[in-house]
């Protein structure tokens, strides 16, 4: 073992590997901070480059770029209310509300520090408990995934800051959008209206750019009030006050890191689902839930830890069984095969030095995230110095170019513009748009697992409760459904005068 660790140390701290990590980190920070470019896209763009690299530097490029991209998505979300990656969308409104209050420094620092902490937590779990957690994830069938997705959709109600009924309406709107196209178990074109462009469904990235970026541009155009004073000079030392936050919210950090790692270890989940569920849990169990949505850092602390810890969690089934935890590890598995690091239990025995090197890469990536993240924030914060009448047209231009570049089709640009108008009208009337995004992300997964489960059980609904894990998830989901009603009745019963 000592020999393998020594070999891994030599491979990781080779000057070439360190240079690759720094270059991939800067690339990941750039991709994550540009709205519309995702961590998955950053990974995919690196694949051709890894053809010419040895195995460890190739994996180093993947690990560092994705970790940096997930964090960097927080920066435009906080400064401009435009999440750089889908994982940042869960708490974009919270971070932007803090910016409007002159607390951008605190929000960005929390996103940076607790992303690194969550990433280190997930790495420790990856090192210590990879085989056990991967075995647990393999116990999940379509029945368990159905309840897990339903639980995620239920969380959409709790991340709405206003009327829950309005949150349900926008959630259903997102589920409707998820039904468009051929991407359903029957392969039947739904809601395409004879348009071939709709056969593939409505793209998630164009829709997200429209709902967050274009709606913000429209809001700027129609707003006649003076712009808010964002006090740029206060975005200085982003590490100031973070130790106090760590002492104030230790349970939230642990809960977010644990949940993120667990969700990441489930095949098909990922940082997006981890961030949404973690933010909802943070609000649900907070002592100050009324502050959420007004610029409260608690949700950013918990969900920021969750989205980065999920990255390491996703590598657990990928390394041990070759099952991708998310779209990023699906790409990474291809690189592993290409470099003769075939994932599976034998990877831990035949070439243990490679596994130890991967563990070290995760640790280093999360440690260098802090200094490089500070550098990225100091560059990105200057966006606030640009006049809004110059910045908004520039953002619109980048949104159009970035959206067109996804599939090289003007149809996606139309989807983006339409989504922006719809989102603006919804928010103008008090409807939150976050549940709609969640509905689009999870809608297809919900339908697929429901149909698969019904086929397996020959139409027997009781099969959804027949497996222990499925029964546990069903119990938790229904508890979330009925807990508000039960608590309301319990409080009413306690307040009722006792007859004498």
């Amino acid at each position: 073992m000592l020999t393998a660790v020594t070999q891994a140390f030599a491979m990781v701290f080779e000057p070439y590997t360190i240079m690759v990590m720094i270059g991939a980190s800067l690339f990941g920070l750039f991709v994550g901070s540009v709205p519309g470019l995702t961590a998955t896209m950053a990974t995919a763009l690196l694949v051709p480059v890894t053809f010419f690299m040895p195995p460890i530097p190739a994996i180093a490029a993947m690990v560092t770029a994705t970790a940096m991209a997930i964090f960097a998505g927080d920066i435009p979300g906080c400064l401009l209310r435009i999440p750089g990656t889908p994982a940042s969308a869960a708490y974009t409104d919270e971070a932007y509300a803090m910016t409007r209050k002159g607390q951008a420094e605190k929000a960005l620092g929390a996103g940076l520090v607790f992303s690194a902490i969550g990433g280190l937590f997930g790495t420790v779990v990856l090192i210590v408990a990879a085989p056990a957690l991967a075995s647990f994830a393999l116990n999940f069938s379509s029945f368990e995934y159905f309840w897990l997705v339903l639980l995620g959709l239920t969380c959409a109600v709790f991340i709405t800051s206003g009327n829950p009924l309005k949150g349900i309406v926008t959630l259903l709107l997102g589920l409707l959008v998820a039904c468009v196209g051929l991407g359903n178990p029957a392969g039947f074109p739904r809601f395409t209206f004879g348009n071939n462009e709709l056969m593939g469904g409505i793209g998630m990235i164009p829709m997200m750019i429209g709902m967050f970026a274009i709606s913000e541009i429209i809001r700027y155009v129609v707003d006649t009030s003076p712009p808010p004073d964002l006090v740029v000079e206060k975005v200085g030392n982003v590490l100031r006050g973070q130790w106090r936050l760590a002492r104030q919210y230790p349970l939230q950090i642990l809960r977010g890191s644990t949940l993120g790692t667990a969700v990441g270890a489930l095949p098909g989940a990922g940082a997006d689902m981890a961030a949404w569920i973690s933010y909802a849990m943070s609000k649900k169990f907070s002592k100050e839930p009324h502050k959420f949505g007004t610029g409260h850092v608690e949700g950013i602390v918990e969900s920021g830890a969750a989205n980065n810890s999920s990255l390491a969690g996703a590598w657990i089934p990928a390394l041990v069984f070759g099952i991708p935890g998310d779209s990023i590890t699906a790409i990474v598995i291809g690189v592993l095969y290409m470099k003769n690091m075939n994932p599976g239990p034998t990877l831990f025995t035949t070439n243990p030095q490679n596994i130890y090197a991967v563990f070290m890469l995760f640790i280093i990536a999360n440690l260098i995230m802090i200094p490089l993240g500070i550098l990225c924030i100091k560059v990105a914060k200057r966006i606030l110095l640009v006049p809004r009448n110059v910045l908004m047209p520039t953002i619109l231009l980048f949104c159009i170019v970035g959206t067109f570049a996804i599939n090289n089709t003007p149809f996606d640009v139309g989807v983006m513009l339409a989504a922006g108008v719809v989102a603006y009208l919804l928010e103008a009337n008090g409807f939150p748009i976050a549940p709609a995004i969640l509905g689009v992300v999870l809608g297809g997964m919900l339908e697929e697992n429901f149909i698969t489960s019904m086929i397996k059980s020959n139409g027997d609904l009781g099969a959804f409760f027949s497996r222990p894990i499925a029964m546990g998830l069903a119990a938790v989901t229904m508890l979330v459904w009925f807990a508000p009603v039960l608590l309301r009745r319990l409080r009413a019963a306690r307040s009722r005068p006792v007859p004498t």
Side-chain angles (χ1 to χ4, degrees):
M1 177 180 176
L2 183 60
T3 303
V5 172
T6 304
Q7 292 175 343
F9 189 88
M11 289 188 293
V12 169
F13 287 94
E14 184 187 11
Y16 177 69
T17 306
I18 297 298
M19 288 175 57
V20 167
M21 292 187 73
I22 294 175
S25 298
L26 297 176
F27 172 72
L29 289 170
F30 170 76
V31 171
S33 59
V34 175
L37 305 183
T38 65
T40 304
M41 188 181 298
T43 309
L45 291 174
L46 282 175
V47 171
V49 181
T50 60
F51 289 163
F52 310 100
M53 295 181 184
I56 299 306
I59 301 302
M62 298 288 186
V63 170
T64 51
T66 53
M68 299 296 172
I70 291 292
F71 152 70
D74 296 353
I75 298 175
C78 178
L79 300 182
L80 298 171
R81 196 176 170 264
I82 305 172
T85 60
S88 305
Y91 46 92
T92 289
D93 287 339
E94 198 77 65
Y96 186 67
M98 293 184 67
T99 298
R100 292 176 67 90
K101 292 163 62 176
Q103 298 177 359
E105 169 188 316
K106 186 177 182 180
L108 290 169
L112 173 61
V113 171
F114 298 109
S115 288
I117 292 175
L120 290 172
F121 180 93
T123 303
V124 171
V125 175
L126 173 65
I127 295 171
V128 175
L133 283 178
S135 299
F136 177 74
L138 282 180
N139 292 326
F140 274 63
S141 67
S142 59
F143 298 103
E144 286 80 9
Y145 275 113
F146 170 78
W147 287 113
L148 181 66
V149 173
L150 205 57
L151 179 62
L153 292 173
T154 302
C155 291
V157 177
F158 293 102
I159 61 176
T160 56
S161 57
N163 189 341
L165 182 60
K166 291 185 175 181
I168 294 174
V169 170
T170 52
L171 172 62
L172 294 176
L173 179 63
L175 292 174
L176 176 63
V177 171
C179 291
V180 176
L182 289 166
N184 56 79
F188 183 81
R190 297 186 303 198
F191 304 111
T192 59
F193 306 103
N195 189 334
N196 291 332
E197 295 279 7
L198 289 173
M199 290 292 185
I202 295 177
M204 172 64 185
I205 295 176
M207 179 181 170
M208 192 188 74
I209 295 174
M211 297 191 82
F212 283 101
I214 303 302
S215 63
E216 188 66 26
I217 294 171
I218 296 174
R219 191 174 295 107
Y220 165 75
V221 171
V222 302
D223 187 12
T224 57
S225 60
D229 183 11
L230 298 178
V231 198
V232 179
E233 63 269 19
K234 288 191 176 181
V235 188
N237 181 11
V238 296
L239 299 182
R240 185 185 300 120
Q242 299 307 315
W243 174 244
R244 184 181 62 81
L245 289 178
R247 289 183 298 173
Q248 185 177 357
Y249 299 118
L251 179 61
Q252 286 80 351
I253 298 170
L254 178 61
R255 189 168 58 206
S257 300
T258 304
L259 184 142
T261 307
V263 171
L266 301 175
D272 307 358
M273 185 185 293
W276 285 106
I277 296 178
S278 181
Y279 183 80
M281 284 184 60
S282 182
K283 181 178 180 181
K284 180 68 176 176
F285 296 107
S286 175
K287 296 179 180 178
E288 303 172 309
H290 59 281
K291 291 186 178 180
F292 279 67
T294 64
H296 188 48
V297 75
E298 183 178 351
I300 299 176
V301 168
E302 185 162 341
S303 48
N307 60 15
N308 263 64
S309 63
S310 69
L311 294 180
W315 279 68
I316 296 171
L319 286 177
V320 180
F321 294 102
I323 300 173
D326 56 8
S327 56
I328 294 172
T329 46
I331 299 171
V332 170
I333 285 176
V335 176
L336 290 173
Y337 279 112
M338 184 177 66
K339 299 299 181 182
N340 293 321
M341 291 178 60
N342 297 359
T346 57
L347 186 60
F348 291 80
T349 55
T350 55
N351 293 300
Q353 68 274 11
N354 289 338
I355 285 294
Y356 294 139
V358 171
F359 294 159
M360 291 180 187
L361 291 174
F362 268 100
I363 294 173
I364 296 171
N366 285 285
L367 290 177
I368 65 175
M369 181 189 297
I370 293 180
L372 291 179
I374 293 174
L375 177 64
C376 184
I377 289 171
K378 287 186 178 298
V379 174
K381 74 176 185 179
R382 300 188 181 277
I383 296 173
L384 291 174
L385 294 171
V386 181
R388 301 283 278 186
N389 58 353
V390 174
L391 182 62
M392 287 303 178
T394 306
I395 292 174
L396 178 60
L397 178 63
F398 276 107
C399 288
I400 293 174
V401 173
T403 301
F404 180 81
I406 296 170
N407 295 310
N408 292 325
T409 171
F411 179 77
D412 284 345
V413 178
V415 169
M416 176 194 69
L417 297 174
V421 174
V422 171
Y424 169 75
L425 294 175
L426 286 173
E427 286 195 308
N429 291 279
F431 288 86
I433 62 173
I437 298 291
L438 194 61
V440 174
V441 172
L442 299 181
M445 193 185 300
L446 178 71
E447 181 184 17
E448 180 182 347
N449 286 292
F450 176 75
I451 298 298
T452 303
S453 300
M454 291 297 285
I455 293 173
K456 285 181 182 177
S457 63
N458 199 24
D460 181 16
L461 291 174
F464 285 88
F465 305 91
S466 61
R467 295 164 59 92
I469 299 177
M471 188 184 300
L473 288 171
V476 173
T477 304
M478 292 184 178
L479 181 64
V480 174
W481 287 352
F482 298 112
V485 178
L486 295 176
L487 290 173
R488 195 180 304 118
R489 291 189 175 183
L490 183 61
R491 283 194 294 263
R494 286 180 176 176
S495 60
R496 193 177 301 131
V498 178
T500 56

